[in-house]
Amino acid sequence: MISQRDLIIYLAIKYNGDYDSLLYAIDRKECPDAEIVKNTVSQIKCKTLTMIDDDYPQYLKHFPRSPIVLFYYGDISLIDEKHYRYNLGVVGTRHPSEYGVMYTRKIVKEVAKDCNIVSGLAIGIDGEAHRMALEAGTKTIAVLGSGIDNPWPDSNINLYHDILNSGGLILSEYPGKLEPTPLTFPVRNRIVAMLSNTLLVTEANGYKTGTRITVGFMLNYNKEVLSIPYSLEVKDSYCNRLLTLGAHAVMNGEDVLINMNLRKINLI
């Protein structure tokens, strides 16, 4: 007899976390050999959270294409209903300027006592946000675009372990050591948006940027997007473009907390 939970996890592994393939297999009631399912699931090193689990966050179910299975290490309570209000997504370019790094670190440090930081473990702004969160003593959540046991990029392997050792959370839709592809990162970005109460963009340039995809998901989910301003001399600043389109401008951590309704506005 195969439990429904084990079957879903097995199918997520079989189809490498591909949402459409997994959903199709569930819909057509694919029924593999029970012994194969048992052996496959028993070999997983990480923990799992499925949509049918009692502790699967209800808010996630309200989003289209919410993850059916999440593979994870660390403190899964960081994405529960209680913590969700305090989860700030911080994203941006893989090739930041000194200005972008400085303000990413400054703002993350200033909100550290009040927020958990959500990002994608990429080089650049993502990595800086995670590192500053660790330095400031707050929890951070990394959403991978690769298999849960395949930290990507290699240069962030130590950061991956530092997040876990600090009591944070690493999660992915993708099992094992699955290699990332150009398609897995945009798919990953929707989960960053789902888990973030509010999103802060600290630096991005041009129109064709992964940050734009995350912003698009946030807007589709009717969530707040914040951006820091850049000099008008930065012609291709996506941050400035966001401000012209209605994103809230922030200059420090206090501005972020006010926009997240974690601080009251003091006009005096």
Side-chain angles (χ1 to χ4, degrees):
M1 183 70 177
I2 306 173
S3 74
Q4 187 177 7
R5 187 178 193 277
D6 281 354
L7 176 59
I8 292 173
I9 295 169
Y10 167 80
L11 292 173
I13 296 170
K14 177 180 178 180
Y15 293 106
N16 290 323
D18 181 77
Y19 184 91
D20 292 313
S21 298
L22 173 56
L23 187 62
Y24 179 68
I26 293 172
D27 285 345
R28 64 186 176 88
K29 295 180 171 58
E30 182 174 331
C31 188
D33 180 81
E35 195 64 26
I36 293 176
V37 171
K38 179 181 178 181
N39 290 340
T40 301
V41 174
S42 68
Q43 292 177 27
I44 301 173
K45 295 192 297 182
C46 65
K47 297 180 180 179
T48 54
L49 179 69
T50 77
M51 188 178 281
I52 64 173
D53 292 341
D54 292 337
D55 56 346
Y56 188 93
Q58 290 300 309
Y59 72 85
L60 276 182
K61 295 181 180 180
H62 298 155
F63 300 119
R65 299 175 72 85
S66 52
I68 299 170
V69 177
L70 287 171
F71 301 93
Y72 75 92
Y73 291 108
D75 186 1
I76 197 64
S77 75
L78 292 175
I79 66 169
D80 66 17
E81 305 280 345
K82 176 182 176 181
H83 289 89
Y84 172 66
R85 178 187 177 196
Y86 305 97
N87 286 347
L88 172 67
V90 181
V91 299
T93 179
R94 287 180 169 84
H95 306 287
S97 63
E98 291 184 8
Y99 178 91
V101 170
M102 178 180 69
Y103 274 93
T104 299
R105 294 181 62 82
K106 169 180 164 39
I107 292 177
V108 169
K109 182 178 181 179
E110 291 172 350
V111 303
K113 291 182 179 179
D114 299 273
C115 296
N116 302 312
I117 302 302
V118 183
S119 199
L121 203 76
I123 60 172
I125 294 299
D126 288 24
E128 293 296 336
H130 288 306
R131 289 187 185 91
M132 189 66 247
L134 296 178
E135 290 178 26
T138 194
K139 299 294 179 67
T140 187
I141 301 164
V143 187
L144 305 186
S146 56
I148 187 65
D149 296 311
N150 183 23
W152 191 94
D154 290 343
S155 58
N156 277 345
I157 288 178
N158 288 339
L159 178 57
Y160 174 101
H161 291 292
D162 289 344
I163 290 172
L164 294 179
N165 291 336
S166 71
L169 174 65
I170 305 279
L171 55 81
S172 177
E173 270 187 305
Y174 304 113
K177 295 184 177 293
L178 188 75
E179 290 292 324
T181 72
L183 294 179
T184 59
F185 293 111
V187 173
R188 176 273 310 274
N189 291 353
R190 87 185 195 287
I191 299 179
V192 172
M194 288 179 187
L195 300 180
S196 301
N197 176 284
T198 301
L199 183 73
L200 171 64
V201 180
T202 58
E203 183 172 15
N205 299 309
Y207 185 72
K208 293 182 178 180
T209 167
T211 300
R212 179 181 63 84
I213 296 172
T214 310
V215 168
F217 283 121
M218 291 294 289
L219 297 178
N220 286 340
Y221 302 154
N222 294 314
K223 297 187 181 185
E224 292 286 351
V225 175
L226 315 176
S227 180
I228 66 171
Y230 279 71
S231 167
L232 295 180
E233 294 180 358
V234 183
K235 301 297 185 183
D236 63 346
S237 170
Y238 183 64
C239 285
N240 285 349
R241 180 60 176 160
L242 286 174
L243 297 178
T244 68
L245 294 174
H248 291 280
V250 296
M251 293 178 284
N252 51 49
E254 189 73 9
D255 291 343
V256 172
L257 296 175
I258 289 171
N259 277 279
M260 293 180 71
N261 293 316
L262 299 177
R263 286 282 193 281
K264 293 183 179 180
I265 298 175
N266 187 354
L267 298 178
I268 300 177

